[in-house]
Amino acid sequence: MKYYIHCNNPTTLDGSSMVSFPLISCLPLRIRGKWFEQVQKFALRYASPAPVYSARSATLLWIAENQRNPEQFPLLPTSSATFHTLLKNLRRACYEQIGSSRVSLSYASGQWLGLIILCKHLCEQKLLPYVDWNSGAYKAFPNRDPGELREAVRANVVTDLRMIPKKLSVESDAFHTDLLVPLSLHLNHQEYLDEYEKKLGDALDQFRNKALQECEQMQFKSELGKGFIENISNDVDSDRSQFVASANLEASNFNANELASLPFIADHLRVVKSEMNCFPLPYISKLKLTGAPIKGARALAAFGKDKVLPYLGLMNARSAIPIIVLIMIENPRVNVASLLSAKIVNSQGQEILISNAGEGEDFRISVDKPRAQSQMHSILSKNAVSYLNLVIEWTRPIRERLINEGRFEEAQYLWIGFVQSKTYTIGRLSINNLRNAFRVPLSRSIKKKEVYERTLKPRSTRSLPSFIESHPSLMPWATTATLKSLRVSAGVYKWFQSKGDIETAAKAFGHKDIKTTLGHYIPQPLQAAMYEQQIRRWQNILICAAAVGKDYLLEATDFSTTEELHVFISSFFSDSAVSPLSSTTMSDRLPIIAQRVESFQVEKFKAECSGKLVMAENPDPIALLFLYREHLLESYPSALDIPDAATKTAPRLWLDFADALLTPKLDVQRPLVQLVEKAKERLNDLRGKVVFPKWIQ
């Protein structure tokens, strides 16, 4: 009997996956039910099936070793000593895979950690004997630091390439595959940093421009197709000629193949309206229950349904890609899984997708974060809002059909469309649908090419090429471009534009903790190079201020020419952007730098505090505010909006201010967190000394 574990999986349509767990089948029948129940509880702790897969692969190794040596690898240890010996032997066998098979250190460590976490859970449930989990015999080997590996590769001292993470490629001199432009293994100087920023910006601009171009083309095709369908007459030739003529007026929206296929598209649009009620239906070769097969469906299937969908204003994965690319680049805080979970309405029928942000004419999108099990909001640009409205329009007919079929849950989601080309199945778009529409995996592309060359069959023209294949200018990034790399690259580029401000990067990615940004998104080589640049800039400022009028000023700094030095100093004066400063003017203005360096911190403080609230480090007023908050919570809701006669301030302002202080803060706001904690400690001392007036209704 096989046992399958139900796991959460936000990448699938139903949000779950079933993972087989063979170890349970190998246990005695009397305890299989308890093991299955506890492994199921372990799996539901996590938002993805990755921990279960890691533990499963380790248990498969456990089963294989038990078949070779049952004494050293018992399936059901009966004592702590036996369990201790088993874990030591399993750990050795797990890491011995590195030398005997193509297994990396990170894979073996992940496999081992998954097993350890599962075993800890089973120990807590008394299904395994107790052991001291602090023992070094159960620890996973630490992964090598990427910075150390770069130095090792540079010095050519790496002997076992399996010890190198997959993201570090020695052959291509590249590191960190989550970026559109890989990092070099041996270059990290200032010129390379500037060049890398430019390359990353150019890559993002290329993807943004092509996505905008496709959005405009789809919008034009939708209007063209709907206009043609509304004005269809009995004269087939006349309608076809008029359709082609209307399309040729905007020939820039079509490539050569599309222009050649326009007459056929007009014929298929006529068939879709007359025989299918403007909604493509699959071809059925035999009579099925009642009715005959649709005559035009066979021709439509042979021509390619995906080619006609843009003219019908209907959504599929290929049509969704350019809009998702734009949102990924403009709002890197929204990942693909969260975006696909966006709903238009909630279970009560209330619109929840797009709402007014309360900041002028800005709008925000509300999406769920499956892993964090929370909701996130992101400000959208006007272009993004307009394209999301197009998505709502192009999915409306599909949503109505889902409702008619009783699929109300799927109809609530934003990203729905045709998810299967052959069967014309409609439903929620999945991450796999989007990945294939964005870029066909390289292995699959090579395999298809080999098949075509071996069989001499022509390539199928029924389906549209992927987003990358449709634009030759994007081919330089064909091996690195993914939906994730677009998001990561956009966030890293914002970090570049902020001159290495990690708080800006954390806000761009939507992280509450900057450690997440530093540890997983900003590569360490970039951090080190940026910090070196910032330090050197301040060194040059101090040197220029200290060496005013000295002959060795140029030699003391790291500038190669006097012109470079003048450009650097000119950046401190507002009028230098209008006209370059002459040498005489520079000699007059150079002493001002010393004065500006002294007042820099004060000016920076004033600029940062403009429009903000500055708080003294005294916990008593904050404690008093928290007491006032408790008093306000007991009041009548209508009383919170009545302004005070003396201060003209409504009590709700203080209630909102107190709530803002009590919300979780970033690590960089540690002083404020400590101040709030001190205020909480002072509450009991002040509670009996402060009395607020009673509320009168």
Side-chain angles (χ1 to χ4, degrees):
M1 179 179 177
K2 293 185 178 181
Y3 290 85
Y4 291 89
I5 306 301
H6 179 270
C7 305
N8 297 316
N9 191 349
T11 64
T12 60
L13 291 179
D14 59 354
S16 64
S17 293
M18 302 300 291
V19 181
S20 63
F21 216 83
L23 178 64
I24 301 177
S25 302
C26 300
L27 298 173
L29 187 60
R30 57 184 174 81
I31 62 171
R32 290 182 186 177
K34 294 181 179 179
W35 272 67
F36 176 75
E37 179 184 354
Q38 295 305 324
V39 175
Q40 182 64 73
K41 288 183 178 180
F42 163 77
L44 294 179
R45 289 180 178 179
Y46 304 97
S48 74
V52 181
Y53 278 116
S54 297
R56 175 182 177 274
S57 61
T59 57
L60 291 176
L61 177 65
W62 185 354
I63 295 172
E65 294 294 338
N66 171 263
Q67 294 174 353
R68 285 195 294 267
N69 191 345
E71 294 182 0
Q72 295 293 326
F73 298 89
L75 291 178
L76 191 62
T78 56
S79 65
S80 297
T82 307
F83 191 29
H84 173 73
T85 303
L86 170 66
L87 289 175
K88 288 199 304 180
N89 294 336
L90 276 176
R91 180 173 178 263
R92 184 189 68 247
C94 183
Y95 283 101
E96 281 179 350
Q97 298 176 100
I98 299 176
S100 59
S101 60
R102 296 179 63 84
V103 173
S104 65
L105 173 63
S106 59
Y107 177 84
S109 294
Q111 187 183 43
W112 177 248
L113 287 173
L115 178 64
I116 289 298
I117 296 173
L118 174 61
C119 289
K120 286 182 179 180
H121 174 72
L122 295 174
C123 282
E124 293 173 357
Q125 305 303 320
K126 311 298 182 184
L127 295 178
L128 287 175
Y130 170 79
V131 293
D132 182 13
W133 293 108
N134 294 321
S135 172
Y138 315 138
K139 301 294 183 182
F141 289 141
N143 291 326
R144 294 288 299 275
D145 178 74
E148 296 177 3
L149 285 171
R150 284 168 53 102
E151 297 298 330
V153 170
R154 190 182 307 175
N156 198 23
V157 297
V158 178
T159 57
D160 190 353
L161 295 182
R162 284 188 295 271
M163 303 296 287
I164 300 177
K166 296 179 181 178
K167 292 182 179 181
L168 194 148
S169 173
V170 181
E171 293 81 4
S172 59
D173 185 28
F175 172 75
H176 206 286
T177 55
D178 286 342
L179 291 169
L180 287 173
V181 183
L183 296 173
S184 172
L185 290 176
H186 67 284
L187 298 176
N188 60 357
H189 49 77
Q190 179 59 46
E191 290 77 9
Y192 171 72
L193 197 65
D194 296 338
E195 181 184 358
Y196 183 85
E197 180 182 359
K198 184 179 183 302
K199 287 183 177 180
L200 193 62
D202 292 342
L204 290 172
D205 287 340
Q206 284 285 347
F207 279 89
R208 183 187 295 108
N209 293 337
K210 296 305 178 184
L212 284 171
Q213 178 183 338
E214 282 203 4
C215 285
E216 294 173 357
Q217 291 174 353
M218 288 191 302
Q219 193 171 2
F220 174 76
K221 291 177 181 178
S222 175
E223 295 173 355
L224 179 65
K226 290 180 180 179
F228 173 77
I229 290 175
E230 291 175 357
N231 299 309
I232 284 180
S233 64
N234 295 326
D235 191 344
V236 177
D237 294 334
S238 175
D239 289 346
R240 184 190 300 127
S241 301
Q242 187 175 357
F243 177 79
V244 174
S246 300
N248 284 324
L249 292 177
E250 297 288 343
S252 59
N253 290 315
F254 305 91
N255 56 40
N257 293 331
E258 289 176 333
L259 287 173
S261 63
L262 285 175
F264 303 100
I265 290 177
D267 293 340
H268 290 301
L269 288 176
R270 174 183 293 274
V271 171
V272 171
K273 179 185 179 181
S274 60
E275 300 184 14
M276 307 179 191
N277 196 21
C278 297
F279 199 92
L281 297 175
Y283 169 70
I284 304 175
S285 58
K286 297 181 180 180
L287 293 177
K288 189 174 181 181
L289 297 180
T290 59
I294 300 173
K295 298 179 181 179
R298 186 170 188 174
L300 177 62
F303 178 74
K305 163 185 61 67
D306 293 340
K307 297 179 182 179
V308 182
L309 288 181
Y311 298 90
L312 295 171
L314 296 175
M315 178 64 68
N316 65 350
R318 184 62 184 85
S319 301
I321 280 297
I323 300 176
I324 288 180
V325 167
L326 289 175
I327 296 177
M328 290 289 104
I329 294 177
E330 292 185 2
N331 301 275
R333 62 184 294 135
V334 182
N335 59 37
V336 183
S338 298
L339 194 59
L340 287 181
S341 68
K343 293 183 178 181
I344 292 183
V345 295
N346 57 17
S347 56
Q348 287 77 35
Q350 300 172 337
E351 295 186 1
I352 58 174
L353 177 65
I354 302 175
S355 58
N356 193 292
E359 303 172 4
E361 298 180 354
D362 291 335
F363 289 87
R364 63 185 175 191
I365 182 174
S366 301
V367 297
D368 293 329
K369 300 183 70 175
R371 292 187 180 179
Q373 296 183 352
S374 61
Q375 195 175 63
M376 181 188 62
H377 309 283
S378 179
I379 302 297
L380 295 175
S381 67
K382 293 183 179 180
N383 287 335
V385 172
S386 63
Y387 290 129
L388 281 179
N389 288 329
L390 287 177
V391 175
I392 296 174
E393 178 185 347
W394 294 339
T395 56
R396 185 176 292 112
I398 300 171
R399 186 167 290 105
E400 292 174 354
R401 185 162 290 249
L402 289 174
I403 293 174
N404 293 335
E405 295 177 0
R407 299 160 66 181
F408 302 105
E409 178 66 24
E410 290 182 78
Q412 295 179 8
Y413 288 91
L414 170 66
W415 300 97
I416 56 177
F418 287 85
V419 297
Q420 225 289 335
S421 296
K422 293 183 179 179
T423 61
Y424 290 39
T425 305
I426 58 174
R428 284 183 61 191
L429 299 178
S430 68
I431 288 184
N432 288 335
N433 294 141
L434 296 179
R435 285 172 179 164
N436 294 331
F438 179 72
R439 187 195 73 179
V440 177
L442 185 61
S443 58
R444 189 188 304 176
S445 178
I446 294 175
K447 185 177 180 180
K448 283 186 176 181
K449 184 178 180 181
E450 292 175 351
V451 171
Y452 291 136
E453 292 176 352
R454 185 174 63 253
T455 60
L456 300 179
K457 291 182 178 180
R459 287 178 176 267
S460 173
T461 58
R462 288 182 294 180
S463 60
L464 295 175
S466 66
F467 182 77
I468 299 291
E469 294 173 334
S470 300
H471 305 286
S473 60
L474 300 181
M475 292 307 294
W477 302 280
T479 57
T480 58
T482 62
L483 294 175
K484 180 180 179 180
S485 66
L486 277 178
R487 173 179 176 249
V488 175
S489 298
V492 171
Y493 189 66
K494 289 181 182 294
W495 176 74
F496 268 115
Q497 291 179 314
S498 66
K499 304 300 181 184
D501 185 2
I502 192 57
E503 289 188 50
T504 300
K507 290 180 180 178
F509 282 112
H511 297 153
K512 294 181 179 179
D513 190 351
I514 61 174
K515 293 180 181 177
T516 304
T517 311
L518 290 173
H520 299 282
Y521 290 87
I522 308 295
Q524 292 181 358
L526 282 184
Q527 295 178 35
M530 183 64 74
Y531 295 155
E532 182 179 349
Q533 177 189 15
Q534 293 172 344
I535 292 172
R536 191 55 186 161
R537 175 177 172 82
W538 278 105
Q539 287 176 341
N540 285 328
I541 292 175
L542 295 175
I543 291 172
C544 290
V548 173
K550 305 297 183 180
D551 297 335
Y552 55 81
L553 176 59
L554 179 61
E555 184 179 355
T557 58
D558 60 352
F559 299 106
S560 56
T561 63
T562 306
E563 287 73 17
E564 290 183 3
L565 176 62
H566 285 191
V567 170
F568 173 75
I569 298 176
S570 299
S571 63
F572 293 94
F573 303 96
S574 58
D575 60 342
S576 61
V578 179
S579 59
L581 297 176
S582 63
S583 299
T584 55
T585 309
M586 186 67 67
S587 62
D588 295 335
R589 294 196 174 190
L590 201 53
I592 305 177
I593 294 181
Q595 200 174 32
R596 293 203 172 186
V597 170
E598 293 177 1
S599 61
F600 178 79
Q601 293 295 340
V602 177
E603 293 178 0
K604 183 180 179 182
F605 177 77
K606 290 180 179 179
E608 291 181 348
C609 294
S610 176
K612 298 181 181 180
L613 180 65
V614 181
M615 298 174 59
E617 295 184 3
N618 185 357
D620 287 347
I622 307 300
L624 184 62
L625 174 64
F626 291 160
L627 287 177
Y628 187 42
R629 175 181 177 274
E630 295 176 1
H631 178 65
L632 292 176
L633 292 176
E634 299 174 358
S635 68
Y636 306 104
S638 58
L640 296 176
D641 297 317
I642 301 176
D644 179 70
T647 63
K648 308 299 182 183
T649 302
R652 189 177 297 278
L653 170 67
W654 300 109
L655 182 62
D656 293 342
F657 179 39
D659 289 340
L661 291 177
L662 292 172
T663 56
K665 302 293 186 296
L666 296 170
D667 283 356
V668 294
Q669 297 173 299
R670 176 59 55 183
L672 179 58
V673 174
Q674 294 174 348
L675 181 62
V676 171
E677 293 299 326
K678 291 179 182 178
K680 290 180 180 179
E681 295 174 359
R682 290 282 295 150
L683 278 177
N684 292 331
D685 296 337
L686 296 177
R687 205 179 296 277
K689 300 178 182 179
V690 179
V691 179
F692 294 100
K694 295 183 179 181
W695 293 99
I696 301 177
Q697 189 170 5

